[in-house]
Amino acid sequence: MFHFIYSQLIRLILPFILLRLWWQGRKNPALRRNWQHRLGLVPEMSGPVIWVHAVSVGETIAAGPLVRRLLAKELGATILMTAMTDTGLAQARKMFGDRVAYAYAPYDTPGAIRRFLNRVNPGILVILETEIWPNMIRQCRRRTVPVFLINARLSERSAQGYEKVKGLAAPVMKSISWVAAQAEPDAERFRRIGVAADRVEVTGSVKFDVDIPDDVRKASEEVRKSLEGRNVWIAGSTHSGEDEQLLSAHQSILEQHSGALLVIVPRHPERFDTVAAMAEEKGFRVARRSRNENPGQAQVYLGDTMGELMMLYGASDIAFVGGSLIERGGHNPLEPAAWGMPVFSGPHVFNFETIFDRLIADQGVQMVEGCQDLAQAISRLMSDAQECKAYGQRALAVVNNNRGALDKVVEGIIERV
């Protein structure tokens, strides 16, 4: 009954979702491209297919090492990557080119999922983190398609939410073939909401197995050369409500380090122009990467391109990870940590609780309360190269000491295919 009601509600709101998509597409035409995919009308595929689903950019980046490993195994299967957002698919295309297939994930109506599965006929569905869609998961299981939840995390708040709709959640959880949880608390919560105990395993976070491709390293070196030895700090994946604070912090930093450069990379492309205007209104000299403007004489360098955050981290000395000065829950701190650089974050990091716990325990991240706290800490490190290097080495050590989850996940997938 609960599942029937859920499906009917999804059907009822679908026209409004499509209307919203069309409306947003006026300013972002990419949103209208291949919109039929969202109704399950994707190109037909033949042969074995491994379906990897990642909701957006962050999950797509996390899926990168996994997909690379699967490609290297030469399993004789096509890998289909899906996402819910245009930015997620753009990131995937930038990472893999024509080595994998791409599509928008279908909306979770029974008909859309059925059409998608008829055309793709996947042999396995790998879902990154906790993207749980009832029709997607239950229809896969009805077709004996194993469903793996990889790098899975579940907060106590989310677990309590699932418990409130147990009639809907429990059958879905029982349909999941394997949960590769980030930590034991996550595993315990999945068992609590209905996943069979023998289908839950603690593998750790695959995000610790972050890799930096050679072409990314080379591109970061080229950008770094153009900065002529300046003190460079980067604010990655920033959100509305943070940018003004970060620009204020940079004003304070410039009082002590007049040649410092802030590289700022907003999380969402629709905010690129807004952040550029904000920086100019505050009197900063701004250069934009999308226009190939030279950052040499700029005070703020706007990373307004897609899929280059990892590269821009590598071109910087110190990193702040956005989504954390506001109650957004933070973003992945392991991407800058893998470069061996000091990592800063605001207090709101509930989306990456397990990862931050490990970084904090080994002094691999520095938590700040606001823009002035951040400015003081960054200015201090800019004045002390030895301390700056030590902070970066601690961050890198945390990454290296926690690698290995990806091997467990790949082995688990191959064993269960």
Side-chain angles (χ1 to χ4, degrees), residues 66-94:
L66 170 64
V67 172
R68 277 188 277 272
R69 292 283 184 92
L70 292 175
L71 288 170
K73 293 289 184 181
E74 297 183 350
L75 300 175
T78 299
I79 295 178
L80 170 65
M81 295 193 71
T82 64
M84 300 299 293
T85 67
D86 61 308
T87 53
L89 283 188
Q91 177 67 48
R93 287 191 179 94
K94 188 172 184 65

Side-chain angles (χ1 to χ4, degrees), residues 162-180:
Y162 283 116
E163 287 177 320
K164 291 177 181 176
V165 290
K166 205 161 188 176
L168 174 63
V172 177
M173 297 304 163
K174 290 177 182 177
S175 297
I176 296 174
S177 308
W178 184 47
V179 174

Side-chain angles (χ1 to χ4, degrees), residues 13 20 81 85 123 189 243 289 294 325 339 370:
I13 65 174
R20 181 173 178 267
M81 295 193 71
T85 67
R189 291 171 192 139
D243 303 294
R289 180 157 179 80
N294 189 342
L325 286 176
W339 284 101

Side-chain angles (χ1 to χ4, degrees), residues 211-289:
D211 59 1
I212 306 174
D214 290 341
D215 60 330
V216 173
R217 291 186 181 276
K218 183 177 180 180
S220 70
E221 289 172 4
E222 291 300 317
V223 173
R224 186 68 212 190
K225 287 177 184 177
S226 71
L227 302 179
E228 301 175 352
R230 298 171 64 184
N231 288 315
V232 181
W233 71 288
I234 181 171
S237 296
T238 66
H239 288 256
S240 178
E242 286 186 309
D243 303 294
E244 190 166 5
Q245 296 184 63
L246 294 164
L247 292 169
S248 294
H250 192 48
Q251 287 175 325
S252 299
I253 291 169
L254 287 173
E255 293 175 3
Q256 299 184 50
H257 302 276
S258 59
L261 175 68
L262 166 62
V263 180
I264 189 165
V265 186
R267 179 70 172 181
H268 299 114
E270 60 267 24
R271 299 187 55 253
F272 289 159
D273 291 342
T274 301
V275 175
M278 186 185 302
E280 290 169 349
E281 287 171 6
K282 286 183 172 291
F284 291 110
R285 297 190 299 275
V286 178
R288 299 181 63 157
R289 180 157 179 80

